[in-house]
């Protein structure tokens, strides 16, 4: 454990955890990873190339695994979902247009963490874009912080991101016409740090007053999309990335004419 080092990502979004072998994970290293998540929101662990059993066991060390409501799991590993992009796919990548926090439309049992492992990575394509709720909250004007300190957001599976969600379901998921909707605070606190919980891909409305609702919603969405809060993560095969959905928004970048395969686990 003494050899592990931490290197912040661009714009202080997330952190690389270096010199860590998840095939030989120690309990105190799991505690360290959670501490880094609390501070930075997302951790990047390069070139691990885990088998499914080891990958799932690592996820279990962080919390309780949950089955994603819209996707089927691997045979024998129901908590591992396959996210696949094929060369014949013509639409934008899943989630590519909108930053979001996973399943913010769930009233209960929202996953705290999402984990991805790179299985097949195209050359110079397929980055994942992360935006820090910590950093974006800190840079808000005080008058905006005051307006939103007790505000609630309405989040829906029928939000702007729903088109790409439906495409993913049609290919490999559990098709569902049910619209899920939930109400959550748009400011959360994680280990003493305040974070914006905006999920632009799912956000329908912010419950302030009718006069300011749309104005504040647009302001906050524009704010979390600013370059100063963004880090575009370049994948290698076998990389593991874990993020905290309370403090990190993400989206896939657009990919064209290639195959991209990721294994995903969500964790309470």
């Amino acid at each position: 454990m003494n050899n592990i080092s931490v290197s912040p990502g661009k714009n202080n979004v997330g952190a690389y955890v270096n010199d860590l072998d998840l095939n030989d994970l120690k309990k105190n290293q799991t505690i360290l990873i959670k501490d880094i998540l609390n501070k930075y929101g997302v951790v990047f662990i390069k070139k691990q190339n885990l088998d499914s059993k080891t990958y799932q066991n690592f996820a279990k060390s962080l919390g309780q695994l949950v089955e994603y409501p819209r996707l089927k799991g691997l045979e024998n590993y129901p908590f591992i979902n396959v996210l696949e992009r094929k060369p014949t796919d013509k639409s934008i990548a899943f989630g590519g247009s909108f930053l979001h926090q996973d399943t913010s439309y769930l009233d209960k049992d929202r996953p705290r963490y999402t984990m991805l492992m790179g299985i097949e990575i195209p050359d110079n394509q397929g980055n994942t874009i992360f935006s820090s709720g910590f950093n974006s909250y800190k840079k808000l004007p005080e008058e905006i912080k005051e307006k939103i300190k007790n505000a609630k957001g309405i989040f829906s599976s029928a939000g702007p991101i729903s088109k790409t969600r439906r495409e993913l379901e049609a290919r490999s998921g559990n098709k569902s016409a049910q619209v899920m909707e939930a109400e959550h605070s748009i400011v959360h606190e994680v280990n003493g740090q305040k974070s914006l919980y905006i999920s632009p891909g799912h956000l329908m409305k912010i419950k302030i007053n009718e006069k300011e609702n749309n104005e504040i919603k647009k302001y906050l969405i524009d704010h979390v999309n600013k370059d100063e809060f963004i880090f575009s993560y370049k994948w290698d095969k076998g990389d593991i990335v874990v993020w905290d959905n309370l403090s990190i928004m993400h989206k896939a970048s657009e990919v064209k004419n290639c195959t991209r395969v990721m294994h995903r686990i969500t964790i309470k």
Side-chain angles (χ1 to χ4, degrees), residues 25-42:
L25 182 67
K26 306 296 192 298
K27 184 176 181 180
N28 55 2
Q29 293 174 332
T30 300
I31 294 170
L32 174 64
I33 290 169
K34 284 190 173 182
D35 288 344
I36 298 168
L37 282 167
N38 282 336
K39 182 176 181 180
Y40 291 99
V42 53

Side-chain angles (χ1 to χ4, degrees), residues 139-152:
K139 291 294 184 73
L140 283 174
E142 290 302 319
E143 63 180 286
I144 300 295
K145 289 181 181 178
E146 184 64 26
K147 284 180 186 290
I148 67 173
K149 65 180 181 180
N150 297 315
K152 303 283 189 178

